[in-house]
Amino acid sequence: MLIQKASGGVADAFLFRVRKFKSQRMAAYRLVLIRHGESCWNQENRFCGWFDADLSEAGVQEAKRGGQALKDSGFEFDVCYTSVLQRAIRTLWLVLDGIDQMWLPVHRTWRLNERHYGGLTGLNKAETAARHGEAQVKVWRRSYDIPPPPMDAEHDLYSAISQDRRYRDLSKDQLPICESLKDTIARALPFWNEEIVPQIKEGKKVLIAAHGNSLRGIVKHLEDMTDEAIMNLNLPTGIPIVYELDKNLKPIKPMQFLGDEETVRKAMEAVAAQGKAKK
Amino acid sequence: MMYFLPCGKFTEYFRCVYACLCKKTRMPKYKLFLLRHGEGAWNKENRFCSWVDQHLSEEGVKEAQQCGGLLKEQGYRLDAVFTSLLTRSIQTAWLVTQAMGDEWVPVLKSWRLNERHYGALIGLNRAELALNHGEEEVRLWRRSYDITPPPITESHPFFFDIYNDRRYLTCDVPLEELPRSESLKQVLDRLLPYWNNVIVPEIKKDRTVLISAHGNSCRALLKHIEGISDDDIVGVTLPTGIPILLELDSDLQPVKPHELLGNQVQIQNAIRKVEDQGKAKKTDT
C-alpha cells in the first residue's frame, strides 16, 4: 500500500492540518471517501452538476484502480453511500466489484449529488470563461456562497433533470435549480449527521462514493475548515481518501490517499487546470 | 352436464364456471418482474453452483444487458430492485438497471432470495450425477418440491467458502441457523417472510419491482403467486436472462399467466438449454 500526501499548492494546507493533528489520539473509526472518475462531460469540460452523465472510459479505469488500491490494502466495509447520479453509482459498483464486496448494502441519496450548477449546466467551461471571464468562472466554481444563475424552465435540460422520476419524492423547497457550495453542503450535511454518523458510531465501516462538492461538504465538516480553505481543496478523482477518526469523529491525522504518487499528483493538477479559457 | 366431462377437465371447468358465476373481473394494478440471472462460470460447467459465490460469465453479462435493453425498449421503468446476497444476481441487477438508465433505483439484498441450497451436491456436475444416479433421480432432486438433498458438511470443499463469508453475518438469522441443504419447499418457506414483509409493501406503493434472483428462488415465488401445485412445479423451468412479467391485481393475484418477454424462439432455446443441463452426458467409447 502506498499512501501519498498531496503535492504542490495543497501541500501547505496539508502541513497546516498535520500541525493540527499533532496530539496523539486513538483511531476509533475509519471512513473512506471516493470521488467519481472522469465523466463524458468532464471530458468535454462542461459543467455537469445534476446532469446524469456517464463515466468516460478513463473514469471507468480510475474507479477500477481505486478498487484495486482498496483491495491491495485489504479494506472491508459494512455499508456504502452514494448519490443518485450514475457516475458516482457506477464508480461505487466498480470499486465493490474490485474488492469483491458487491453484496454490501448501498444507500443512494440526492443529498450526496454534485453541486447543482443551475443555468451553467451543460455549458463548456472554456467557452463560459471566454464569455464571462476567468474571474467570474472561478467565482461561480470556487466561491463558497455565490450561486450560479438558476436553471429555469426554458433551459434545455430542465425537464431531464428537474422532472426526473428520481426526484419525485422531493418537495418544491428541496429540489434545487442552482446551488452555491454553501447550499450543497447545507443539504448534504443532514444526511451525513442523521444517516451516516449513526452507522459509523455503531462501528460500521463506511464507504462513500460521491462528487467533488458533496464530498467537500463532508471534509469541511470533519476538519472544521474555513470557507476559504475548502475552496482551495481539490479532491482527486478515483482515489480512495481514508480518514481515521476518534470517538468524537474528529480526524486523528490528515486524510490519506491510496494509490501511487504519480497518479495522485497528476489527478490534482488536472482538476486545477479546468476552467482556464482556451485561447 | 359436468358429470359427462372427462375427469382431467373437471377441475378446470369448475374453476371457469365458478369465476363466471362470481363475475369477478381481475384488473391489472401492479407489474412485477422476475429475472433468473444469466450464465455463470459453473453453469457453463453444468455444476450445482447454489450458495457458492460466482460472477456471471461473459455470456451471462450479455444476457443481463440484453434483458435491460429489452425492458427499456418496451417502455418499462423500475422503481425498486431486490436481489439475493450472491454476486451473480447483484451483477445482473446492476447490468439491467444500467441498460435501462435506472442506476439510481434502490437495490435491496437478502439471503432469503438466494439460490436453493443444494447441500452436499454443491459443486457436482449435473450430467455426471445423472449418469451415476439416472436422469430421473437428478430431475427429482432439481425439480421436486419437498425432497431435500443431503446436507453440506465441514468436509465439503466449499463449506468454509460459504460459511466463513462475512455476508452471512449480516443476515436476519444467526449463522448457525442458515440452511445446510434445502428442498424447493424450504426455499419458499424462507423466502415468504421477505416477500410478505419487504417486497409486497413496495409493490403496494405502486412501485414496479424487479426481483433479480435465481432459478429456484424465482420458481418458488412463481409457485406462490400463481398457486402452482406441488406436482406441477416439477415441470416448470425458467430460462436465464429472460424477464418474466407478472401483472397483479390489488390482492396481488395474477390477472393472467406470467409472460416471458422477448423473442419467443430464443426463449424456447433458453428453456431447452436449462432442461438439458440435467441430462446424462453419453461419452464415446
Coordinates of all heavy atoms in Angstrom, one line a residue, chain A residues 52 54 75-78 83-86 89-90 92-94 96-97 100-106 108 164-169 205, chain B residues 53 55 77-79 84-88 90-95 97-98 101-107 109 165-168 170 207:
Chain A
D52 N -27.1 13.8 -15.7 CA -26.7 12.4 -15.3 C -25.7 11.8 -16.4 O -26.0 10.9 -17.1 CB -27.9 11.5 -15.2 CG -27.6 10.3 -14.4 OD1 -26.5 10.2 -13.7 OD2 -28.4 9.3 -14.5
D54 N -22.6 9.8 -17.9 CA -21.9 8.6 -17.5 C -20.4 8.8 -17.4 O -19.9 9.8 -17.8 CB -22.2 7.5 -18.7 CG -22.0 6.1 -18.2 OD1 -21.6 5.9 -17.0 OD2 -22.2 5.2 -19.0
F75 N -9.1 -3.6 2.5 CA -10.2 -2.9 3.1 C -11.5 -3.7 3.0 O -11.8 -4.3 2.0 CB -10.5 -1.5 2.4 CG -9.7 -0.4 3.0 CD1 -8.3 -0.3 2.7 CD2 -10.2 0.6 3.8 CE1 -7.5 0.7 3.2 CE2 -9.4 1.6 4.3 CZ -8.1 1.7 4.0
E76 N -12.2 -3.7 4.2 CA -13.6 -4.3 4.2 C -14.5 -3.3 4.7 O -14.2 -2.5 5.6 CB -13.6 -5.5 5.1 CG -12.8 -6.7 4.6 CD -12.9 -8.0 5.5 OE1 -13.2 -7.8 6.7 OE2 -12.7 -9.1 5.0
F77 N -15.7 -3.3 4.1 CA -16.7 -2.3 4.5 C -18.0 -3.0 5.0 O -18.2 -4.2 4.8 CB -17.1 -1.4 3.3 CG -15.9 -0.6 2.9 CD1 -15.2 -1.0 1.7 CD2 -15.5 0.6 3.6 CE1 -14.0 -0.2 1.3 CE2 -14.4 1.3 3.2 CZ -13.6 0.9 2.1
D78 N -18.9 -2.2 5.6 CA -20.2 -2.7 6.0 C -21.3 -2.1 5.3 O -22.4 -2.6 5.3 CB -20.3 -2.5 7.6 CG -19.2 -3.3 8.3 OD1 -19.1 -4.5 8.1 OD2 -18.5 -2.6 9.1
S83 N -24.7 8.9 -4.5 CA -25.7 9.8 -4.9 C -26.7 9.1 -5.8 O -26.7 7.8 -5.9 CB -25.1 11.0 -5.7 OG -24.6 10.5 -6.9
V84 N -27.6 9.8 -6.5 CA -28.5 9.2 -7.4 C -28.0 9.4 -8.9 O -28.7 9.3 -9.8 CB -29.9 9.6 -7.3 CG1 -30.5 9.1 -6.0 CG2 -30.1 11.1 -7.4
L85 N -26.7 9.9 -9.0 CA -26.2 10.1 -10.3 C -25.3 8.9 -10.7 O -24.4 8.5 -9.9 CB -25.4 11.4 -10.3 CG -26.3 12.7 -10.0 CD1 -25.4 13.9 -9.7 CD2 -27.2 12.9 -11.2
Q86 N -25.4 8.5 -12.0 CA -24.8 7.2 -12.4 C -23.3 7.3 -12.3 O -22.7 6.2 -12.1 CB -25.3 6.8 -13.8 CG -24.9 7.8 -14.9 CD -25.2 7.2 -16.3 OE1 -24.9 6.0 -16.6 NE2 -25.9 7.9 -17.1
I89 N -22.6 6.2 -8.8 CA -23.1 4.9 -8.6 C -22.2 3.8 -9.3 O -21.7 2.8 -8.7 CB -24.5 4.7 -9.0 CG1 -25.4 5.7 -8.2 CG2 -25.0 3.3 -8.9 CD1 -26.8 5.8 -8.8
R90 N -21.9 4.1 -10.5 CA -21.0 3.2 -11.3 C -19.6 3.1 -10.7 O -19.0 2.1 -10.7 CB -20.9 3.6 -12.8 CG -22.2 3.2 -13.5 CD -21.9 3.3 -15.0 NE -21.0 2.2 -15.4 CZ -20.3 2.2 -16.5 NH1 -20.2 3.3 -17.2 NH2 -19.5 1.2 -16.8
L92 N -18.9 3.4 -7.6 CA -19.1 2.5 -6.4 C -19.2 1.1 -6.8 O -18.5 0.2 -6.2 CB -20.3 2.9 -5.6 CG -20.6 2.1 -4.4 CD1 -19.5 2.2 -3.4 CD2 -22.0 2.5 -3.8
W93 N -19.9 0.8 -7.9 CA -20.1 -0.6 -8.4 C -18.7 -1.1 -8.8 O -18.4 -2.3 -8.5 CB -21.0 -0.6 -9.6 CG -22.5 -0.4 -9.2 CD1 -23.0 -0.3 -8.0 CD2 -23.6 -0.4 -10.1 NE1 -24.4 -0.2 -8.1 CE2 -24.7 -0.2 -9.4 CE3 -23.7 -0.4 -11.6 CZ2 -26.0 -0.1 -10.0 CZ3 -24.9 -0.3 -12.1 CH2 -26.1 -0.1 -11.4
L94 N -18.0 -0.3 -9.5 CA -16.6 -0.8 -10.0 C -15.7 -1.1 -8.8 O -14.9 -2.0 -8.8 CB -16.0 0.2 -10.9 CG -16.7 0.3 -12.3 CD1 -16.4 1.6 -13.0 CD2 -16.3 -0.9 -13.2
L96 N -16.7 -1.8 -5.7 CA -17.2 -3.0 -4.9 C -16.9 -4.3 -5.7 O -16.6 -5.3 -5.1 CB -18.7 -2.9 -4.7 CG -19.2 -1.8 -3.8 CD1 -20.7 -1.8 -3.6 CD2 -18.6 -2.1 -2.4
D97 N -16.9 -4.2 -7.0 CA -16.5 -5.4 -7.8 C -15.1 -5.7 -7.6 O -14.7 -6.8 -7.4 CB -16.8 -5.1 -9.3 CG -16.8 -6.4 -10.1 OD1 -16.5 -7.5 -9.6 OD2 -17.0 -6.3 -11.3
D100 N -14.6 -7.3 -4.3 CA -15.4 -8.5 -4.1 C -16.4 -8.3 -3.0 O -16.5 -9.2 -2.1 CB -14.5 -9.7 -4.0 CG -15.3 -11.0 -4.3 OD1 -16.4 -10.9 -5.0 OD2 -14.9 -12.1 -3.8
Q101 N -17.0 -7.1 -2.9 CA -18.0 -6.9 -1.8 C -19.3 -6.3 -2.4 O -19.9 -5.4 -1.8 CB -17.4 -6.0 -0.7 CG -16.3 -6.6 0.1 CD -15.5 -5.7 1.0 OE1 -16.1 -5.0 1.8 NE2 -14.2 -5.7 0.8
M102 N -19.7 -6.9 -3.5 CA -20.9 -6.4 -4.2 C -22.2 -6.6 -3.3 O -23.2 -6.0 -3.6 CB -21.1 -7.1 -5.6 CG -20.0 -6.5 -6.6 SD -19.8 -7.6 -8.0 CE -21.3 -7.4 -8.9
W103 N -22.1 -7.5 -2.3 CA -23.2 -7.8 -1.5 C -23.5 -6.7 -0.5 O -24.6 -6.8 0.2 CB -23.0 -9.1 -0.8 CG -21.8 -9.1 0.0 CD1 -20.5 -9.5 -0.4 CD2 -21.6 -8.7 1.4 NE1 -19.6 -9.3 0.6 CE2 -20.2 -8.9 1.7 CE3 -22.5 -8.3 2.4 CZ2 -19.7 -8.6 3.0 CZ3 -22.0 -8.0 3.6 CH2 -20.6 -8.1 3.9
L104 N -22.7 -5.7 -0.3 CA -22.9 -4.7 0.7 C -24.1 -3.9 0.4 O -24.5 -3.6 -0.7 CB -21.7 -3.7 0.7 CG -20.4 -4.3 1.3 CD1 -19.2 -3.3 1.1 CD2 -20.5 -4.6 2.8
P105 N -24.8 -3.5 1.5 CA -26.0 -2.6 1.3 C -25.5 -1.2 0.8 O -24.5 -0.7 1.2 CB -26.6 -2.4 2.7 CG -25.5 -2.9 3.7 CD -24.6 -3.8 2.9
V106 N -26.2 -0.7 -0.2 CA -25.9 0.6 -0.8 C -27.1 1.5 -0.7 O -28.2 1.1 -1.0 CB -25.6 0.4 -2.3 CG1 -25.4 1.8 -3.0 CG2 -24.3 -0.4 -2.5
R108 N -28.6 5.1 -1.7 CA -28.5 6.2 -2.7 C -29.3 7.4 -2.2 O -30.4 7.3 -1.8 CB -29.0 5.8 -4.1 CG -28.3 4.6 -4.7 CD -29.2 3.9 -5.7 NE -28.6 2.9 -6.5 CZ -28.3 1.7 -6.1 NH1 -28.5 1.3 -4.9 NH2 -27.8 0.8 -7.0
D164 N -37.2 14.5 -13.5 CA -36.8 13.1 -13.5 C -37.5 12.4 -12.3 O -37.6 12.9 -11.2 CB -35.3 13.0 -13.4 CG -34.8 11.6 -13.7 OD1 -35.0 10.7 -12.9 OD2 -34.2 11.4 -14.8
R165 N -37.8 11.2 -12.6 CA -38.5 10.3 -11.6 C -37.8 10.2 -10.3 O -38.4 10.1 -9.2 CB -38.7 8.9 -12.1 CG -39.9 8.7 -13.1 CD -40.1 7.2 -13.4 NE -39.0 6.5 -13.6 CZ -38.7 5.3 -13.0 NH1 -39.6 4.8 -12.2 NH2 -37.6 4.6 -13.3
R166 N -36.4 10.2 -10.4 CA -35.7 10.0 -9.1 C -35.9 11.1 -8.1 O -35.5 10.9 -6.9 CB -34.2 9.8 -9.5 CG -33.4 11.1 -9.9 CD -32.1 10.7 -10.5 NE -32.3 10.3 -11.9 CZ -31.3 9.8 -12.7 NH1 -30.1 9.7 -12.2 NH2 -31.6 9.4 -13.9
Y167 N -36.4 12.3 -8.6 CA -36.6 13.4 -7.6 C -38.1 13.6 -7.3 O -38.5 14.6 -6.7 CB -36.0 14.7 -8.2 CG -34.6 14.5 -8.6 CD1 -34.1 14.7 -9.9 CD2 -33.6 14.2 -7.7 CE1 -32.8 14.6 -10.3 CE2 -32.3 14.1 -8.0 CZ -31.9 14.3 -9.3 OH -30.5 14.1 -9.6
R168 N -38.9 12.6 -7.6 CA -40.4 12.8 -7.5 C -40.8 12.9 -6.0 O -41.8 13.5 -5.7 CB -41.1 11.6 -8.1 CG -40.9 10.3 -7.4 CD -41.5 9.1 -8.1 NE -40.9 7.9 -7.6 CZ -40.9 6.7 -8.2 NH1 -41.6 6.6 -9.3 NH2 -40.3 5.7 -7.7
D169 N -39.9 12.4 -5.1 CA -40.3 12.5 -3.7 C -39.8 13.8 -3.0 O -40.0 14.0 -1.8 CB -39.8 11.3 -2.9 CG -40.5 10.0 -3.3 OD1 -41.6 10.1 -3.8 OD2 -39.9 8.9 -3.1
K205 N -18.1 0.1 9.0 CA -17.1 0.6 8.2 C -17.8 1.2 6.9 O -18.4 0.4 6.2 CB -16.0 -0.4 7.8 CG -15.3 -0.9 9.1 CD -14.2 -1.9 8.8 CE -14.7 -3.3 8.6 NZ -15.3 -3.9 9.8
Chain B
D53 N -20.3 -18.4 -4.3 CA -20.4 -17.1 -4.9 C -19.6 -17.0 -6.2 O -18.4 -17.1 -6.2 CB -20.0 -16.0 -3.9 CG -20.5 -14.7 -4.4 OD1 -21.7 -14.6 -4.8 OD2 -19.8 -13.7 -4.3
H55 N -19.2 -14.8 -10.2 CA -19.6 -13.8 -11.1 C -20.3 -14.4 -12.3 O -20.2 -15.6 -12.5 CB -18.4 -13.0 -11.6 CG -17.9 -11.9 -10.7 ND1 -17.4 -12.2 -9.5 CD2 -18.0 -10.6 -10.8 CE1 -17.1 -11.0 -8.9 NE2 -17.4 -10.0 -9.7
R77 N -40.2 1.0 -16.8 CA -39.3 1.6 -15.9 C -39.4 1.0 -14.5 O -40.5 0.6 -14.1 CB -39.6 3.2 -15.7 CG -39.6 3.9 -17.0 CD -38.3 3.9 -17.7 NE -37.2 4.4 -17.0 CZ -36.7 5.7 -17.0 NH1 -37.4 6.6 -17.7 NH2 -35.7 6.0 -16.4
L78 N -38.3 0.9 -13.8 CA -38.3 0.2 -12.5 C -38.3 1.2 -11.4 O -37.8 2.4 -11.5 CB -37.0 -0.7 -12.4 CG -36.9 -1.7 -13.4 CD1 -35.5 -2.4 -13.3 CD2 -38.0 -2.8 -13.3
D79 N -38.8 0.8 -10.2 CA -38.8 1.7 -9.0 C -38.0 1.1 -7.9 O -37.6 1.8 -7.0 CB -40.2 1.9 -8.5 CG -41.0 2.7 -9.6 OD1 -40.6 3.8 -10.0 OD2 -42.1 2.2 -10.0
S84 N -30.6 -11.4 -4.3 CA -30.0 -12.2 -3.2 C -28.7 -11.6 -2.8 O -28.3 -10.5 -3.2 CB -29.8 -13.6 -3.8 OG -28.7 -13.6 -4.6
L85 N -28.0 -12.3 -1.9 CA -26.7 -11.9 -1.5 C -25.6 -12.4 -2.4 O -24.4 -12.2 -2.1 CB -26.4 -12.4 0.0 CG -27.1 -11.6 1.1 CD1 -26.6 -12.1 2.5 CD2 -26.8 -10.1 1.0
L86 N -26.0 -13.1 -3.4 CA -25.0 -13.7 -4.3 C -24.6 -12.8 -5.4 O -25.5 -12.2 -6.1 CB -25.5 -15.1 -4.8 CG -25.7 -16.1 -3.7 CD1 -26.6 -17.3 -4.2 CD2 -24.4 -16.6 -3.2
T87 N -23.3 -12.7 -5.7 CA -22.8 -11.7 -6.7 C -23.5 -11.8 -8.0 O -23.8 -10.7 -8.6 CB -21.3 -11.9 -6.8 OG1 -20.7 -11.6 -5.6 CG2 -20.7 -11.0 -7.9
R88 N -23.8 -13.0 -8.5 CA -24.3 -13.1 -9.9 C -25.7 -12.5 -10.0 O -26.0 -11.9 -11.1 CB -24.3 -14.6 -10.4 CG -25.1 -15.6 -9.5 CD -24.6 -17.0 -9.8 NE -25.3 -18.0 -9.2 CZ -25.1 -18.6 -8.0 NH1 -24.1 -18.1 -7.2 NH2 -25.8 -19.6 -7.5
I90 N -26.7 -9.9 -8.1 CA -26.5 -8.4 -7.9 C -25.9 -7.9 -9.2 O -26.3 -6.8 -9.7 CB -25.5 -8.2 -6.7 CG1 -26.1 -8.8 -5.5 CG2 -25.3 -6.7 -6.6 CD1 -25.1 -8.9 -4.3
Q91 N -24.9 -8.6 -9.8 CA -24.3 -8.1 -11.0 C -25.4 -8.0 -12.1 O -25.4 -7.1 -12.9 CB -23.2 -9.1 -11.4 CG -22.3 -8.6 -12.5 CD -21.3 -9.7 -12.8 OE1 -21.3 -10.8 -12.3 NE2 -20.4 -9.3 -13.8
T92 N -26.3 -9.0 -12.2 CA -27.4 -9.0 -13.2 C -28.2 -7.7 -12.9 O -28.6 -7.0 -13.9 CB -28.2 -10.2 -13.0 OG1 -27.5 -11.4 -13.3 CG2 -29.5 -10.2 -13.9
A93 N -28.6 -7.5 -11.7 CA -29.4 -6.3 -11.4 C -28.7 -5.0 -11.8 O -29.3 -4.1 -12.4 CB -29.7 -6.2 -9.9
W94 N -27.4 -4.9 -11.6 CA -26.7 -3.7 -12.0 C -26.7 -3.5 -13.5 O -26.9 -2.4 -14.0 CB -25.2 -3.8 -11.4 CG -25.1 -3.6 -10.0 CD1 -26.1 -3.5 -9.0 CD2 -23.9 -3.7 -9.2 NE1 -25.5 -3.4 -7.8 CE2 -24.2 -3.5 -7.9 CE3 -22.5 -3.8 -9.6 CZ2 -23.2 -3.5 -6.9 CZ3 -21.5 -3.8 -8.6 CH2 -21.9 -3.6 -7.3
L95 N -26.4 -4.6 -14.2 CA -26.4 -4.5 -15.6 C -27.7 -4.2 -16.2 O -27.8 -3.4 -17.2 CB -25.9 -5.8 -16.2 CG -24.4 -6.1 -15.9 CD1 -24.1 -7.6 -16.1 CD2 -23.5 -5.3 -16.8
T97 N -30.3 -2.5 -14.7 CA -30.6 -1.1 -14.4 C -29.7 -0.2 -15.2 O -30.2 0.9 -15.6 CB -30.5 -0.8 -12.9 OG1 -29.2 -1.2 -12.4 CG2 -31.6 -1.6 -12.1
Q98 N -28.5 -0.5 -15.4 CA -27.6 0.3 -16.2 C -28.1 0.4 -17.6 O -28.2 1.5 -18.2 CB -26.2 -0.2 -16.2 CG -25.2 0.7 -16.8 CD -23.8 0.1 -16.7 OE1 -23.5 -0.7 -15.9 NE2 -23.0 0.5 -17.7
G101 N -30.9 2.8 -17.8 CA -30.7 4.2 -17.3 C -31.3 4.4 -15.9 O -31.6 5.5 -15.5
D102 N -31.5 3.3 -15.1 CA -32.1 3.4 -13.8 C -31.2 3.0 -12.7 O -31.6 2.4 -11.7 CB -33.4 2.4 -13.8 CG -34.6 3.0 -14.5 OD1 -34.6 4.2 -14.7 OD2 -35.5 2.3 -14.8
E103 N -29.9 3.4 -12.8 CA -28.9 3.0 -11.8 C -29.3 3.6 -10.4 O -28.9 3.1 -9.4 CB -27.5 3.5 -12.1 CG -26.9 2.9 -13.4 CD -27.1 3.7 -14.6 OE1 -28.1 4.5 -14.7 OE2 -26.3 3.7 -15.5
W104 N -30.1 4.7 -10.4 CA -30.5 5.3 -9.1 C -31.5 4.5 -8.3 O -31.7 4.8 -7.1 CB -31.0 6.7 -9.4 CG -32.3 6.6 -10.3 CD1 -32.3 6.6 -11.6 CD2 -33.6 6.5 -9.8 NE1 -33.6 6.5 -12.1 CE2 -34.4 6.4 -11.0 CE3 -34.2 6.4 -8.6 CZ2 -35.8 6.3 -10.9 CZ3 -35.6 6.3 -8.5 CH2 -36.4 6.2 -9.6
V105 N -32.1 3.6 -8.9 CA -33.2 2.8 -8.3 C -32.6 2.0 -7.1 O -31.6 1.4 -7.2 CB -33.9 1.9 -9.3 CG1 -34.7 0.8 -8.6 CG2 -34.7 2.7 -10.3
P106 N -33.3 2.1 -5.9 CA -32.8 1.3 -4.8 C -32.7 -0.2 -5.0 O -33.6 -0.7 -5.6 CB -33.7 1.6 -3.6 CG -34.8 2.4 -4.2 CD -34.5 2.8 -5.6
V107 N -31.6 -0.8 -4.6 CA -31.4 -2.2 -4.7 C -31.2 -2.8 -3.3 O -30.3 -2.5 -2.6 CB -30.2 -2.5 -5.6 CG1 -29.9 -4.1 -5.6 CG2 -30.3 -2.0 -7.0
K109 N -30.9 -6.2 -0.8 CA -30.3 -7.6 -1.0 C -30.7 -8.4 0.3 O -30.7 -7.9 1.4 CB -28.8 -7.5 -1.1 CG -28.3 -6.5 -2.2 CD -26.9 -6.2 -2.0 CE -26.4 -5.3 -3.1 NZ -26.4 -3.8 -2.8
D165 N -17.9 -16.6 5.0 CA -18.1 -15.3 4.3 C -18.9 -14.3 5.1 O -19.9 -14.6 5.7 CB -18.9 -15.6 3.0 CG -18.8 -14.4 2.0 OD1 -19.2 -13.3 2.4 OD2 -18.4 -14.6 0.9
R166 N -18.3 -13.1 5.2 CA -18.9 -12.0 6.1 C -20.3 -11.7 5.8 O -21.1 -11.3 6.7 CB -18.1 -10.7 5.9 CG -16.9 -10.5 6.8 CD -16.5 -9.1 6.8 NE -16.4 -8.4 5.6 CZ -16.9 -7.2 5.4 NH1 -17.5 -6.5 6.3 NH2 -16.9 -6.6 4.2
R167 N -20.8 -11.9 4.5 CA -22.1 -11.5 4.2 C -23.1 -12.3 5.0 O -24.2 -11.8 5.3 CB -22.4 -11.7 2.7 CG -22.6 -13.1 2.2 CD -22.5 -13.2 0.7 NE -21.1 -13.1 0.2 CZ -20.8 -12.8 -1.0 NH1 -21.7 -12.7 -2.0 NH2 -19.5 -12.7 -1.4
Y168 N -22.8 -13.5 5.5 CA -23.7 -14.3 6.2 C -23.7 -14.0 7.7 O -24.5 -14.6 8.5 CB -23.5 -15.8 5.9 CG -23.8 -16.1 4.5 CD1 -22.8 -16.6 3.6 CD2 -25.1 -15.9 3.9 CE1 -23.1 -16.9 2.3 CE2 -25.3 -16.1 2.6 CZ -24.3 -16.6 1.8 OH -24.6 -16.8 0.5
T170 N -24.5 -10.9 8.3 CA -25.4 -9.7 8.2 C -26.8 -10.1 8.1 O -27.7 -9.3 7.9 CB -25.0 -8.8 7.0 OG1 -25.3 -9.5 5.8 CG2 -23.5 -8.4 7.1
R207 N -45.0 0.6 -6.8 CA -43.7 0.6 -7.4 C -43.5 -0.6 -8.3 O -43.9 -1.7 -7.9 CB -42.6 0.6 -6.3 CG -42.8 1.5 -5.1 CD -42.3 2.9 -5.5 NE -42.0 3.7 -4.3 CZ -41.9 5.0 -4.3 NH1 -42.2 5.7 -5.4 NH2 -41.6 5.7 -3.2

